[in-house]
């Protein structure tokens, strides 16, 4: 019984490996995942903090750049904004803009 189960799982694994390209996350998702805890998975809102999904990339990017420039100590978003390069902020903004 136990043996059968192992073989079945192995077969499923093999089919998956043959049938798919190696899984790489969509561009920007790894960086953006840092924001999911507060802004919801894929930025789709958590009921508490602002929804980011579907806002324009420029809007998100400019807000983040502003927070970074203002560098207000103790503000939650400042901690995040200053932690990324501008290129990374753009990748994050692009990712959220692509979500619906
Ligand atoms: C610990 C919770 C937390 C995390 C993690 C977090 N945020 Fe925020 N975010 C907030 C809060 C709270 C606000 C609103 C208050 C403020 O502006 O400081 C906010 C506001 C924003 C705004 C402005 C929204 C608007 O329309 O005014 C943007 C854009 C934003 N966050 C993007 C991000 C991005 C991108 C990340 C990941 C790099 C991130 N946030 C991670 C809590 C968080």
């Amino acid at each position: 019984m136990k043996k059968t189960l192992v073989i079945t799982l192995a077969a499923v694994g093999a089919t998956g490996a043959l049938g798919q390209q190696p899984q790489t996350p969509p561009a920007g998702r790894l960086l953006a995942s840092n924001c999911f805890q507060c802004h919801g998975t894929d930025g789709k809102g958590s009921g508490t903090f602002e929804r980011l999904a579907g806002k324009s990339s420029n809007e998100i990017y400019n807000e983040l750049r502003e927070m970074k420039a203002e560098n207000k100590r103790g503000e939650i978003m400042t901690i995040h904004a200053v932690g990324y390069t501008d290129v990374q902020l753009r990748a994050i903004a692009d990712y959220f803009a692509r979500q619906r």
Side-chain angles (χ1 to χ4, degrees):
M1 186 64 189
K2 201 172 186 183
K3 203 169 189 179
T4 314
L5 182 64
V6 169
I7 290 167
T8 308
L9 289 175
V12 169
T15 313
L18 287 173
Q20 294 173 354
Q21 298 292 321
Q23 293 286 312
T24 45
R29 189 172 201 271
L30 222 52
L31 292 170
S33 65
N34 231 0
C35 323
F36 294 178
Q37 186 184 356
C38 293
H39 293 281
T41 301
D42 288 329
K44 294 183 180 177
S46 61
T48 314
F49 301 124
E50 212 100 18
R51 178 188 167 93
L52 299 176
K55 293 178 93 169
S56 83
S57 175
N58 280 342
E59 191 183 338
I60 298 172
Y61 178 74
N62 289 333
E63 277 170 340
L64 292 167
R65 285 289 310 275
E66 207 173 293
M67 297 174 199
K68 188 174 174 180
E70 287 174 356
N71 201 349
K72 290 186 191 157
R73 280 182 161 265
E75 299 257 330
I76 288 178
M77 280 310 305
T78 299
I79 306 291
H80 292 279
V82 301
Y84 296 95
T85 66
D86 292 349
V87 170
Q88 289 172 323
L89 291 180
R90 177 56 85 178
I92 292 170
D94 282 347
Y95 180 77
F96 284 124
R98 283 195 305 272
Q99 308 311 307
R100 288 294 167 256

